[in-house]
Amino acid sequence: MSEQSSSFSRVRVTRRELLGGALGATALAAAPRVAVATDAKLDVLVIGAGLSGLYAAMLLQEMGARVQVIEGRSRLGGRMYTMDQVPGRPEAGGNAIMGGYGRTRQLCADLDIALRDVAPRQRLNRPLIALRDQVIDRDDWAGSALNHLPEEHRAKWPPSIIWEMVARHNPLKVAENWYGDHNAALDIPVQAFLEDLGFEQPAIDQLYNTNPQYGSSAHTVSILQWFYMQYWFGLQQEIDPVALVAPGGNQRIPEAMAATLEREVLLDKTVRAIRYGNGEGEVLCGDGSRFRARHIICSMPLPPMRWVAFDPHLPAERIRALHTVPQMLITQVFLVPRRAYWEDDGLDPAMWTDTAAGDLMANRQADDEHAITSLTAWGRGFGAEYLDTLGERDAGRAVVAAIEALRPAARGQLEVAGFKSWQLDPFSGGDWVVWGPGQVTRHLEALGEPLENLHFCGEHTARANRGMEGALESGERAAIDIARSL
């Protein structure tokens, strides 16, 4: 894939009131001057200790800049999150490093993190289909009365069909500037794309809306994002068909990154206000501490930025993006089997369902690749919202009950060992960014543009990559922008 140029044009737009004036420009000035934590010698203050913020800090430190990273959470890693308390340490975020993750793989090599390939293990799973309280073997799916797919697709695994259709009709020949205005005509709902291909609503519900891979339904996602994702994922497989993970979990990667910094990352620093411009930036945190630096890098995802007071106010188009661009809704329930109940009923432990269990995946993280260490029930979109309404304890109970209803052999054999809702996380507000119809060409490029000495990074600002590699790409871009002026 062609790398995007590190030189980007600056767009000048009119500033408007943030949150209708609810958070005024005087927030910093009016805040109590207590518990001050300032360093007049800082060149750069980085907000957020996820991959993008830490990578920017590492690069700038290597260039000789004096850098401090602050983080709102009480842990490092951002949306890289390993469930250390669950057997096998499954990932709640940042699942695998793919073949074309050049920055990520080089970073791990530099940090002496020996990655291992788990792709062969992933291919061992062959999930069942479970709809309307019926468990359907994949071999019986084509003839099932519950199958609403068109004749040519009836034998196919429902989630694979959208990928096939996108690949068959993808107009993108290169990823260079895929988000540009020249692709505005493609920035339409997935729903419209599928309808134009002749799919009726029952089929769309089955192949997309039951467990949406992006967005909450086919109505809420741009097909342009899908065109790009299919091209990009295909390229990852062409480069090297692997799924790499770090020993002890992928959260060990940001932890190792933080260990290279001269200044310790300061945790539990919830940002309330940011002042930028005039040659110096200032950040106020919820505990009253303040930080000043020549440049500020904000790696916060879009939802948490809605509650930060910016002085000067952000441009109107940035505010529109903050309030309209969604994050992927993901809620995960981690389960530990007391015994291998799937050996009793002879069925695959993984299931693709229309129940509270959502997309149930089997994790194989023991030395024996055939051993199941845990199960993860993935709620996506509206399914994630449903689990969130129940609360952590009842969500776990609902997932277990759904599995037991489908698989009598599982009764009494599952223990809830972990829960993670990314949209209930106040420092995330969802998982990865999901571009709605019309939003790719309108917002993607602009979100990464700096405002004077305020710079932005994070996977939502990445232009050439997604996931971990997108996060590193964005941190690199922010670091290069700042390096030019230091």
Side-chain angles (χ1 to χ4, degrees), residues 201-414:
Q201 193 60 51
I204 296 174
D205 287 341
Q206 210 152 67
L207 70 91
Y208 200 98
N209 296 336
T210 299
N211 286 296
Q213 297 169 66
Y214 293 95
S216 294
S217 77
H219 291 279
T220 65
V221 189
S222 171
I223 193 62
L224 178 56
Q225 174 172 344
W226 269 95
F227 287 144
Y228 166 68
M229 294 298 296
Q230 186 277 324
Y231 176 91
W232 185 78
F233 274 115
L235 191 59
Q236 303 303 309
Q237 291 298 303
E238 288 181 19
I239 293 172
D240 193 1
V242 297
L244 304 172
V245 298
N250 289 334
Q251 194 175 342
R252 308 293 86 84
I253 299 173
E255 291 171 353
M257 295 169 73
T260 69
L261 300 177
E262 295 174 0
R263 288 175 171 82
E264 183 179 0
V265 176
L266 301 179
L267 303 176
D268 300 308
K269 296 294 182 183
T270 303
V271 172
R272 298 301 186 199
I274 298 173
R275 176 185 287 150
Y276 63 97
N278 297 320
E280 183 181 68
E282 185 178 13
V283 171
L284 171 70
C285 298
D287 62 1
S289 58
R290 293 169 180 267
F291 299 86
R292 297 184 181 92
R294 292 172 60 189
H295 293 268
I296 298 171
I297 295 179
C298 179
S299 71
M300 299 169 65
L302 295 177
M305 288 174 61
R306 296 167 187 164
W307 312 114
V308 175
F310 288 88
D311 179 12
H313 297 311
L314 294 180
E317 202 60 22
R318 298 284 182 105
I319 296 173
R320 182 188 298 273
L322 290 186
H323 287 270
T324 59
V325 175
Q327 304 289 114
M328 184 65 195
L329 305 182
I330 293 286
T331 299
Q332 297 155 286
V333 176
F334 297 87
L335 306 166
V336 177
R338 295 187 174 95
R339 63 180 179 82
Y341 61 83
W342 47 89
E343 294 178 356
D344 296 338
D345 59 21
L347 301 174
D348 197 283
M351 295 190 295
W352 182 85
T353 86
D354 62 356
T355 71
D359 194 357
L360 184 67
M361 298 185 179
N363 303 314
R364 304 170 185 267
Q365 291 154 317
D367 291 337
D368 178 2
E369 65 179 17
H370 295 283
I372 307 298
T373 50
S374 67
L375 303 169
T376 304
W378 289 70
R380 298 189 177 97
F382 297 133
E385 287 186 330
Y386 170 69
L387 292 176
D388 290 348
T389 64
L390 300 178
E392 179 175 343
R393 185 176 66 173
D394 286 343
R397 290 174 175 174
V399 167
V400 170
I403 297 171
E404 291 180 342
L406 293 167
R407 307 277 291 271
R411 289 173 184 166
Q413 302 306 316
L414 290 168

Side-chain angles (χ1 to χ4, degrees), residues 44-185:
V44 184
L45 177 72
V46 178
I47 301 170
L51 284 185
S52 60
L54 289 171
Y55 194 54
M58 289 176 65
L59 294 175
L60 287 163
Q61 179 176 276
E62 291 173 5
M63 298 175 194
R66 295 174 292 270
V67 185
Q68 176 67 63
V69 179
I70 61 174
E71 165 61 46
R73 295 181 175 90
S74 58
R75 65 170 179 85
L76 300 167
R79 283 170 286 179
M80 296 282 287
Y81 187 28
T82 301
M83 302 297 286
D84 290 329
Q85 78 278 18
V86 181
R89 295 181 170 179
E91 306 294 344
N95 288 279
I97 298 166
M98 293 190 292
Y101 282 32
R103 294 177 184 84
T104 313
R105 296 178 73 169
Q106 184 60 54
L107 173 67
C108 290
D110 293 342
L111 296 171
D112 292 325
I113 296 175
L115 302 173
R116 63 187 181 95
D117 184 15
V118 297
R121 297 174 181 232
Q122 295 175 347
R123 290 191 285 268
L124 293 174
N125 293 328
R126 195 169 186 267
L128 305 167
I129 296 172
L131 300 172
R132 304 250 182 117
D133 299 326
Q134 293 185 32
V135 176
I136 308 166
D137 189 271
R138 296 273 284 273
D139 293 335
D140 300 326
W141 172 237
S144 171
L146 297 178
N147 190 329
H148 299 309
L149 301 174
E151 188 61 36
E152 68 171 295
H153 300 292
R154 286 185 64 85
K156 297 172 183 174
W157 173 238
S160 71
I161 297 172
I162 180 64
W163 290 99
E164 178 185 340
M165 293 298 97
V166 170
R168 186 183 300 179
H169 301 280
N170 195 341
L172 299 183
K173 305 306 178 185
V174 296
E176 187 85 24
N177 197 25
W178 67 277
Y179 46 82
D181 290 342
H182 60 284
N183 281 331

